[in-house]
């Protein structure tokens, strides 16, 4: 479960204060999905980064509850946040989701291997085959198309079945067909596995598939 | 960063130049000024003043046009009051002026100038001779200069005997040589000395000045080694400066491309970039000059311990340092810009080029006539080949990156080292060169040291050596016969003579099996047999089994022995041969005794006028001298390694630009800072190991060339190359450490927390 209340995040640009998120609250139950929409610069990525513990918030509470494990992000230090990320969160970016020096299969296995979970090796192969990438397991990412790369990224985020998947415009630079395919894989598999998904997107297709919908406004100076 | 990189490059160039320059000047002082104006010496058997006058007449008549001037010279070493003294006789008519000008300290007879019957001496001989002292000169210890006639009387020679005729030959390449010497101190001693033969003058040998002054030849050879190492240090510095240009451009590239999209011409952007590089080159070049001077002073006093070292920033070194910085910044910048715009341009027929270069290197190795320059040229060419294959090698290895297995952190970071060939190739070349040099030189020094100590082991088989006044030695010899504690007494006589114009040291002693075993020859010598040193074999062109003529008797060479550190060729003959020489006096006694320390004490008391040396002491001193000689070399290697490591550091900083996205990704996946640092460390190690792929074979090649080619040509001795673990370990260790450190260290970036997360 994700619970955010009274979240505030400002950036400092010289002596200007940019208020990106102010008094934001939301709640998402396990297995549910949430679509974040809003114009560019409205703070979607910022919110996802706060939820992943990559950047600190300025005020408010961010609590993640995964079964017995509860995390109050605003009270944790960096090492603990890193550890939490490793075990409980899957992340998908818009670009550059893959490590260029690892093959497709290695990229998918990477988070599981970081957790020393070798037993997931076979699952990685199965997942990639399901995603239509069975023939490309041992190639390096730079030869893949954009749609294929995003499918690999989704597979990686799902592999270890982390209770929370964060996706930042995962289909931002894909055509309609690929968008549909990636959305299908992301939401379909997540539902199957019972994982929560928070996705920032401009795509109606994706927003329509989510259980909840949160629209963010623009930043105020 | 760019500023620091270039400044360090210049620092290394300047300090190496200043150190070699100082050593060169000290060595030049070894040749007395009155002889320095001759380039060559002419000699013939039993040279007399009649021979000289006849030669002069022939020359005046037009034979041997290349000779510009000539004069008779006496140059012999004798024992005076138990001291070895070098007596130089010159024609005061022509040399007097030079002598008067170079008088250093005091004039004994300041009232009426100098006397024809007087002598000039170095400071150690003041008050030691019965001759009137005209002045004290800055000469090597134990040197006397006098008019020919006076020199003959000091030596007890007939008044028509001469040592040789000094001549100066027209040197067509003189200007070029001076240039080279200024640019690269020590360079001249590496040039092959061409044989001079005057067809119109049968019976005369012509030898270069170097042949007459083995001590200074020896020193110059050491110097040439240093200067060649300096050249390598400079090459590595150039790589560093070029790496700076490449890295900086890499950073600027996104901005430049955007500017081009906005309509700014590439040419203008290139101009902007190159001018910025030139500015960096200028500022950091000046900075490097001063740091380099300070560094040279520090290193020199550390290695040599002389406090009189003075390092002026003269025009040559300023020019060399600044031009290096500006030139490499300017051309390197332009080249980097060009290759950034048109990446992966292949040099056509690279394979053929490399093949041709290797053949050229081989010819430098296998043709002894190419001299030291030939040897070092082949080292330089091999370096170039290695450098030119660094890039392609990386590209080729990248194709196999998928085969790197193991833990994911290892995979990630090791592949990272192969992933960006264009960013790493330059730094990798620099590091490979530095490590290869380190390996080569360390192997050479190690092998040399092993040979040297083995020689000492064998040679120093006596417990005590006594030297000094001949009469006292005779007295001691008869006394020793009565002592039980003394198990062996070996008596030596020695004298210096000329063979084919070359001064050689002839040693006579009882050459039984025990004695010859010390020289690696297990048989006793008969009356007409001799052992000669490697230097003698080389200088006289002799081999085992060949014969030579000494004081009008024929001798056969039975063996050639290694004799490191000897500056003069040596010939050993048995006592049976003694009668053919003029009566010789005892010069040393070697003893084997039961209680060396007790006996030494007793003898020191009984014979205060004799000089006693324990062999263990000699051994310690010899090894200490050896180690000190090579300290400068080690320091230069460390400079080169340091510069190369900084090159790698700069390259790694550039790699980080490429890595930024994947680093961000890894952090999102939950990789901690400690793990990130660990990966950087492995990346550095990976780069170090890549460098070793090139450096190991190259370094072993260098080592072999140094031992089997450079050493015989420079010093006249061969060294057996030993691939010892110790010789390989330290260069490899320092190379890897430098690379790994370059991977981990980040200047100006605060490390995050999170050390507890491993
Ligand atoms: N590191 C930062 N420093 C300063 N301002 C930032 C930083 N990151 C984002 N911003 C600003 O915060 C606002 C929100 O950015 P972002 O969360 O990326 O929006 P979105 O993802 O919705 O497009 C933007 O105005 C952006 O300029
Ligand atoms: Mg965004």
């Amino acid at each position: 479960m994700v619970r955010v209340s009274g979240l505030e995040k400002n950036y400092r640009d010289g002596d200007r204060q940019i208020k990106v998120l102010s008094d934001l609250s939301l709640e998402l139950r396990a297995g549910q999905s949430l679509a974040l929409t809003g114009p560019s610069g409205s703070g979607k990525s910022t919110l996802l980064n706060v939820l992943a513990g990559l950047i600190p918030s300025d005020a408010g509470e961010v609590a993640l509850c995964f079964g017995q494990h509860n995390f109050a992000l605003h009270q944790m230090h960096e090492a603990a946040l890193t550890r939490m990320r490793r075990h409980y969160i899957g992340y998908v970016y818009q670009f550059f989701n893959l490590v260029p020096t690892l093959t497709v299969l290695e990229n998918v296995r990477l988070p599981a291997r970081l957790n020393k979970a070798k037993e997931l090796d076979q699952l990685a192969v199965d997942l990639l085959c399901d995603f239509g990438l069975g023939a490309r397991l041992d190639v390096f990412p730079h030869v893949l198309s954009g749609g294929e790369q995003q499918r690999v990224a989704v597979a990686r985020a799902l592999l270890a079945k982390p209770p929370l998947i964060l996706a930042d415009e995962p289909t931002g630079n894909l055509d309609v067909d690929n968008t549909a395919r990636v959305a299908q894989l992301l939401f379909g598999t997540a539902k199957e596995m019972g994982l929560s998904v928070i996705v920032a997107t401009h795509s109606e297709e994706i927003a329509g598939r989510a259980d909840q919908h949160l629209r963010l406004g623009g930043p105020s100076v | 960063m760019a500023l620091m990189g270039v400044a360090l490059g210049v620092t290394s160039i300047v300090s190496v130049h200043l150190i070699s320059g100082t050593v060169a000047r000290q060595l030049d002082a070894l040749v007395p000024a009155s002889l320095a104006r001759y380039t060559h010496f002419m000699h013939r058997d039993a040279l007399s003043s009649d021979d000289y006058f006849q030669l002069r007449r022939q020359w005046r008549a037009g034979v041997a046009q290349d000779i510009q001037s000539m004069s008779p010279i006496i140059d012999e070493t004798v024992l005076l009051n138990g001291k070895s003294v070098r007596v130089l006789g010159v024609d005061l008519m022509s040399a007097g002026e030079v002598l008067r000008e170079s008088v250093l300290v005091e004039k004994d007879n300041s009232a009426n100038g100098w006397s024809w019957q007087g002598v000039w001496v170095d400071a150690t001989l003041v008050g030691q001779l019965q001759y009137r002292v005209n002045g004290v000169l800055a000469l090597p210890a134990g040197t006397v200069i006098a008019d020919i006639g006076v020199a003959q009387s000091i030596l007890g020679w007939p008044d028509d005997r001469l040592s040789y005729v000094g001549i100066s030959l027209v040197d067509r390449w003189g200007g070029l040589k001076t240039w080279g010497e200024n640019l690269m101190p020590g360079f001249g001693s590496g040039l092959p000395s061409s044989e001079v033969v005057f067809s119109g003058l049968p019976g005369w040998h012509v030898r270069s000045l170097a042949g007459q002054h083995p001590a200074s030849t020896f020193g110059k050879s050491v110097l040439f080694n240093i200067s060649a190492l300096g050249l390598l240090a400079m090459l590595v510095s150039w790589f560093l400066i070029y790496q700076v240009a490449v890295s900086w451009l890499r950073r600027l590239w996104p901005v430049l491309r955007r500017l081009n999209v906005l309509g700014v011409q590439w040419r203008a952007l290139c101009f902007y970039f190159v001018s910025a590089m030139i500015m960096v080159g200028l500022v950091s070049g000046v900075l490097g000059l001063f740091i380099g001077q300070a560094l040279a002073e520090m290193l020199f006093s550390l290695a040599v311990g002389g406090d009189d070292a003075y390092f002026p920033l003269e025009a040559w070194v300023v020019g060399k340092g600044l031009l290096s910085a500006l030139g490499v910044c300017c051309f390197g910048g332009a080249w980097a810009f060009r290759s950034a715009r048109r990446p992966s341009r292949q040099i056509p027929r690279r394979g053929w080029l490399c093949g041709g270069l290797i053949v050229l290197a081989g010819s430098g190795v296998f043709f002894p006539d190419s001299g030291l320059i030939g040897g070092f040229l082949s080292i330089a060419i091999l370096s170039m080949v290695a450098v030119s294959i660094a890039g392609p090698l990386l590209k080729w290895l990248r194709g196999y990156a998928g085969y790197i297995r193991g833990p994911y952190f290892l995979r990630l970071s090791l592949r990272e080292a192969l992933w960006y060939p264009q960013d790493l190739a330059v730094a990798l070349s620099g590091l490979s060169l530095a490590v290869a040099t380190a390996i080569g030189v360390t192997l050479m020094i190690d092998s040399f040291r092993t040979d040297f100590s083995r020689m000492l082991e064998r040679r120093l088989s006596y417990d005590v050596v006594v030297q000094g006044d001949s009469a006292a030695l005779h007295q001691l010899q008869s006394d020793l016969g009565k002592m039980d504690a003394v198990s062996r007494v070996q008596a030596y006589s020695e004298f210096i003579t000329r063979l084919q114009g070359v001064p050689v040291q002839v040693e006579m002693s009882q050459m039984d099996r025990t004695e010859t075993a010390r020289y690696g020859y297990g048989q006793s010598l008969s009356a007409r047999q001799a052992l000669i040193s490697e230097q003698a074999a080389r200088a006289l062109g002799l081999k085992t089994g060949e014969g030579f003529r000494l004081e009008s008797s024929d001798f056969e060479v039975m063996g050639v022995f290694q004799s490191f550190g000897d500056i003069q060729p040596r010939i050993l003959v048995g006592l049976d041969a003694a009668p053919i020489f003029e009566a010789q006096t005892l010069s040393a006694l070697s003893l084997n005794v039961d209680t060396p320390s007790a006996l030494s004490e007793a003898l020191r008391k009984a014979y205060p006028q004799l000089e006693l040396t324990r062999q263990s002491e000699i051994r310690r001193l010899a090894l200490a001298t050896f180690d000190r000689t090579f300290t400068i070399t080690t320091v230069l290697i460390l400079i080169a390694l340091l510069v190369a490591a900084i090159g790698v550091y700069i390259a790694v900083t550039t790699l980080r630009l490429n890595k930024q996205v994947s680093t961000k990704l890894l952090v999102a996946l939950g990789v901690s800072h400690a793990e990130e640092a660990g990966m950087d460390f492995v990346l550095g190690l990976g780069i170090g190991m890549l460098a070793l792929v090139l450096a190991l074979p190259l370094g072993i090649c260098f080592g072999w060339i140094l031992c089997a080619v450079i050493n015989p040509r420079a010093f006249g001795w061969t060294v057996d190359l030993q691939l010892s673990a110790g010789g390989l370990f330290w260069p490899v260790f320092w190379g890897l450490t430098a690379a790994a450190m370059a991977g981990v260290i980040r200047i100006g970036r605060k490390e995050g927390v999170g050390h507890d997360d491993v």
Side-chain angles (χ1 to χ4, degrees):
Chain A
M1 189 165 87
V2 179
R3 190 186 297 119
V4 175
S5 60
L7 177 66
E8 211 161 286
K9 178 70 194 172
N10 308 314
Y11 286 116
R12 188 168 286 285
D13 179 17
D15 34 68
R16 278 192 321 163
Q17 179 103 318
I18 307 172
K19 262 194 158 65
V20 181
L21 301 171
S22 61
D23 195 21
L24 184 131
S25 300
L26 69 88
E27 200 172 307
L28 186 72
R29 271 181 292 132
Q32 294 277 65
S33 53
L34 166 70
L36 296 173
T37 57
S40 209
S42 56
K44 302 185 292 295
S45 302
T46 304
L47 177 55
L48 290 177
N49 282 333
V50 170
L51 287 174
L54 286 165
I55 54 175
S57 58
D58 293 333
E61 291 180 8
V62 182
L64 306 180
C65 312
F66 307 120
Q68 335 283 6
H69 304 279
N70 298 315
F71 298 97
L73 264 52
H74 50 280
Q75 291 169 350
M76 287 160 66
H77 59 86
E78 202 181 314
L81 287 169
T82 303
R83 211 160 27 222
M84 177 206 72
R85 218 162 34 236
R86 190 186 271 199
H87 290 282
Y88 299 104
I89 293 179
Y91 212 107
V92 183
Y93 285 106
Q94 178 177 1
F95 305 107
F96 306 120
N97 263 301
L98 306 179
V99 179
T101 53
L102 295 180
T103 63
V104 167
L105 185 57
E106 288 170 337
N107 259 290
V108 174
R109 284 176 178 169
L110 178 62
R113 286 292 187 100
L114 291 182
N115 292 333
K116 312 221 163 49
K118 273 202 170 173
E119 65 278 6
L120 293 176
D121 279 6
Q122 187 50 45
L123 181 61
V125 177
D126 298 343
L127 211 51
L128 280 169
C129 288
D130 290 349
F131 282 28
L133 291 159
R136 324 221 58 178
L137 298 181
D138 291 321
V139 302
F140 285 95
H142 61 90
V143 302
L144 297 183
S145 73
E148 287 173 321
Q149 289 192 14
Q150 288 312 82
R151 275 184 272 153
V152 175
V154 171
R156 181 181 58 203
L158 290 168
L159 177 70
K161 300 198 181 97
L164 178 62
I165 309 263
L166 302 174
D168 191 351
E169 303 193 31
T171 59
N173 59 338
L174 299 183
D175 57 38
V176 182
D177 287 349
N178 272 308
T179 300
R181 192 148 182 213
V182 168
Q184 159 62 28
L185 290 171
L186 177 62
F187 284 99
T189 322
K191 194 113 249 165
E192 228 170 77
M193 296 175 167
L195 316 175
S196 306
V197 178
I198 300 181
V199 55
T201 188
H202 288 294
S203 150
E204 291 306 321
E205 156 105 37
I206 294 216
R209 280 174 173 273
D211 301 327
Q212 293 182 40
H213 188 168
L214 177 64
R215 194 176 167 78
L216 298 177
S220 53
V221 178
Chain B
M1 188 71 237
L3 217 69
M4 220 183 77
V6 179
L8 253 157
V10 175
T11 299
S12 119
I13 293 172
V14 167
S15 53
V16 168
H17 181 106
L18 288 177
I19 289 179
S20 346
T22 309
V23 178
R25 245 173 283 125
Q26 289 183 347
L27 288 170
D28 277 339
L30 281 180
V31 179
S34 48
L35 293 184
R37 32 195 203 112
Y38 304 115
T39 62
H40 289 74
F41 294 84
M42 295 182 73
H43 180 262
R44 68 180 304 150
D45 293 334
L47 179 67
S48 69
S49 35
D50 289 343
D51 294 326
Y52 168 69
F53 288 118
Q54 199 201 338
L55 175 69
R56 204 172 172 86
R57 272 195 302 278
Q58 284 173 302
W59 172 48
R60 287 265 178 254
V63 181
Q65 291 286 323
D66 279 350
I67 300 178
Q68 282 178 317
S69 64
M70 64 167 62
S71 64
I73 288 170
I74 285 176
D75 182 356
E76 298 298 327
T77 307
V78 286
L79 279 175
L80 285 181
N81 310 329
K83 255 194 180 170
S84 167
V85 174
R86 180 172 175 197
V87 182
L88 279 176
V90 293
D91 182 7
L92 277 192
M93 293 280 256
S94 55
E97 210 52 41
V98 183
L99 282 178
R100 245 185 319 172
E101 278 166 13
S102 53
V103 165
L104 190 68
V105 194
E106 78 243 51
K107 289 176 186 168
D108 265 15
N109 44 354
S110 40
N112 47 356
W114 52 275
S115 136
W116 285 90
Q117 299 307 317
V119 295
W120 286 263
V121 293
D122 76 290
T124 63
L125 285 182
V126 175
Q128 302 272 320
L129 304 168
Q130 300 95 313
Y131 294 84
R132 171 176 177 178
V133 173
N134 279 333
V136 178
L137 304 180
L139 292 169
T143 311
V144 183
I145 299 184
D147 189 43
I148 298 264
V150 180
Q152 283 163 337
S153 90
I154 296 176
L155 291 167
W157 278 10
D159 61 5
D160 66 340
R161 185 164 162 192
L162 293 175
S163 295
Y164 47 79
V165 180
I167 58 173
S168 68
L169 288 182
V170 184
D171 192 356
R172 293 187 187 83
W173 305 104
L176 213 62
K177 272 189 212 158
T178 319
W179 248 80
E181 188 69 26
N182 279 328
L183 213 52
M184 207 84 232
F187 157 91
S189 38
L191 291 174
S193 53
S194 53
E195 197 81 16
V196 183
V197 180
F198 294 121
S199 50
L201 303 170
W204 287 94
H205 302 283
V206 185
R207 303 235 160 225
S208 69
L209 177 72
Q212 282 299 323
H213 294 273
S216 100
T217 315
F218 175 81
K220 289 238 164 167
S221 295
V222 173
L223 183 65
F224 183 77
N225 276 301
I226 292 176
S227 106
L229 267 178
L231 198 72
L232 274 173
M234 183 155 100
L235 211 65
V236 176
S237 306
W238 285 356
F239 273 108
L240 173 64
I241 300 175
Y242 179 59
Q243 176 67 53
V244 168
V246 170
S247 295
W248 204 33
L249 186 63
R250 182 90 197 171
R251 249 161 230 267
L252 281 177
W253 199 246
V255 180
L256 296 181
R257 203 162 48 197
R258 229 154 279 160
L259 284 172
N260 177 253
V261 170
L262 293 177
V264 184
Q265 291 290 340
W266 278 121
R267 189 174 310 177
L269 291 173
C270 182
F271 178 76
Y272 155 75
F273 174 68
V274 171
S275 343
M277 272 311 290
I278 290 179
M279 278 313 293
V280 169
L282 197 67
V283 174
S284 47
V286 172
L287 204 66
L289 278 180
F290 290 104
I291 306 178
Q293 188 185 24
L295 187 69
E297 255 162 48
M298 203 185 79
L299 290 179
F300 197 81
S301 63
L302 216 75
V304 183
D307 42 28
D308 55 338
Y310 161 62
F311 297 99
L313 280 180
E314 4 119 292
W316 280 100
V317 58
V318 171
K320 188 162 129 184
L322 280 187
L323 281 182
S324 286
L326 290 178
V328 181
C329 278
C330 178
F331 292 109
W335 181 258
F337 198 91
R338 212 186 118 104
S339 21
R341 278 198 62 200
R342 270 168 270 168
S344 75
R345 237 188 80 261
Q346 280 283 327
I347 298 173
R349 301 205 179 88
R350 195 192 280 263
W352 282 105
L353 200 71
C354 283
L357 284 176
I358 288 175
V359 169
L360 204 65
S363 61
V365 167
F366 295 109
F367 291 105
D369 281 348
S370 56
L372 272 183
I373 288 266
F376 277 107
L377 203 66
S378 41
I379 286 187
I381 290 172
L382 285 181
S383 317
M384 269 166 61
V385 171
V387 164
S388 71
I389 61 173
L393 179 76
L394 272 179
K395 283 204 188 96
W396 179 76
L397 281 176
R398 192 190 157 172
Y400 295 91
Y403 293 103
I404 298 177
R405 294 281 149 157
Y408 270 52
F409 283 122
L410 211 67
R411 275 185 216 196
L412 267 171
S413 33
L414 285 182
R415 287 181 193 175
E416 203 85 53
L418 294 175
W419 216 254
Y420 308 99
Q422 69 279 21
D423 290 330
L424 201 59
V426 181
L428 194 70
S429 311
L431 184 65
S432 306
L433 266 192
V435 175
T437 311
I439 290 178
V441 175
T442 314
L443 277 180
M444 187 271 279
I445 296 178
D446 266 25
S447 309
F448 194 2
R449 205 171 191 284
T450 312
D451 273 17
F452 187 63
S453 27
R454 195 189 304 140
M455 183 197 82
L456 290 179
E457 200 77 52
R458 220 195 255 159
R459 209 59 56 77
L460 302 181
S461 56
Y462 292 108
D463 299 317
V464 182
V465 174
V466 193
Q467 288 169 296
D469 175 56
S470 170
L473 281 174
H474 275 292
Q475 178 63 41
L476 173 63
Q477 193 180 13
S478 59
D479 285 358
L480 285 172
K482 298 166 206 148
M483 290 187 200
D484 292 338
V486 181
S487 50
R488 186 182 165 98
V489 180
Q490 183 82 16
Y492 298 92
S493 309
E494 64 172 50
F495 63 97
I496 292 171
T497 182
R498 256 163 224 290
L499 213 62
Q500 301 170 24
V502 183
V504 292
Q505 185 180 338
V506 181
E507 248 177 62
M508 289 176 298
S509 188
Q510 183 68 46
M511 294 303 268
D512 57 10
R513 276 157 190 258
T514 322
E515 181 67 14
T516 57
R518 295 176 60 219
Y519 300 93
Y521 181 76
Q523 311 291 317
S524 51
L525 290 186
S526 73
R528 290 294 179 271
Q529 295 179 331
L531 298 178
I532 65 176
S533 68
E534 245 185 332
Q535 288 90 322
R538 230 171 78 87
L540 305 170
L542 288 173
K543 283 201 285 287
T544 305
E546 293 181 344
F548 63 94
R549 211 173 160 72
L550 182 62
E551 308 271 308
S552 62
S553 297
D554 288 314
F555 284 87
E556 188 190 352
V557 179
M558 300 309 291
V560 178
F561 57 90
Q562 276 187 328
S563 188
F564 306 122
D566 266 6
I567 47 180
Q568 226 154 26
R570 270 208 296 164
I571 294 178
L572 310 180
V573 295
L575 281 182
D576 312 341
I580 55 172
F581 306 118
E582 299 155 30
Q584 297 297 330
T585 51
L586 267 188
S587 60
L589 291 176
S590 292
L591 319 174
N592 270 343
V593 294
D594 297 341
T595 49
S597 44
L599 188 87
S600 309
E601 271 319 301
L603 290 184
R604 264 199 196 106
K605 283 214 184 76
Y607 295 91
Q609 72 272 46
L610 291 179
E611 200 180 315
L612 249 96
T613 328
R614 300 273 303 277
Q615 294 277 36
S616 51
E617 182 72 359
I618 295 185
R619 189 190 157 82
R620 198 181 58 72
L621 281 177
L623 285 177
T625 312
F626 180 93
D627 289 338
R628 226 185 49 186
T629 312
F630 286 103
T631 310
I632 290 189
T633 321
T634 314
V635 166
L636 292 183
I637 291 174
L638 285 182
I639 292 183
L641 269 180
L642 185 74
V643 169
I646 289 162
V648 173
Y649 171 73
I650 291 174
V652 169
T653 337
T654 319
L655 280 192
R656 282 207 189 100
L657 291 180
N658 300 322
K659 278 175 53 181
Q660 257 169 10
V661 265
S662 56
T663 307
K664 189 179 149 205
L665 191 69
L666 289 172
V667 170
L669 289 176
V671 170
S672 69
H673 284 296
E675 286 164 333
E676 218 186 309
M679 282 167 59
D680 282 339
F681 179 79
V682 176
L683 168 66
L685 265 187
I687 295 173
M689 286 189 302
L690 276 177
L692 282 184
V693 169
L694 281 174
L696 266 178
L698 192 66
I700 293 174
C701 268
F702 284 3
W704 179 77
I705 294 179
L706 284 171
C707 284
V709 178
I710 307 278
N711 262 294
R713 289 184 197 173
F715 308 118
W717 56 60
T718 43
V719 176
D720 296 325
L721 178 68
Q722 277 133 9
L723 286 181
S724 60
L728 289 173
F729 176 78
W730 285 110
V732 168
F733 174 80
W734 284 119
L736 285 180
T737 308
M741 285 298 119
V744 178
I745 292 171
R746 296 175 191 201
I747 296 171
R749 178 194 184 276
K750 207 177 83 213
E751 287 293 342
V753 271
H755 297 291
D756 52 338
D757 190 16
V758 184

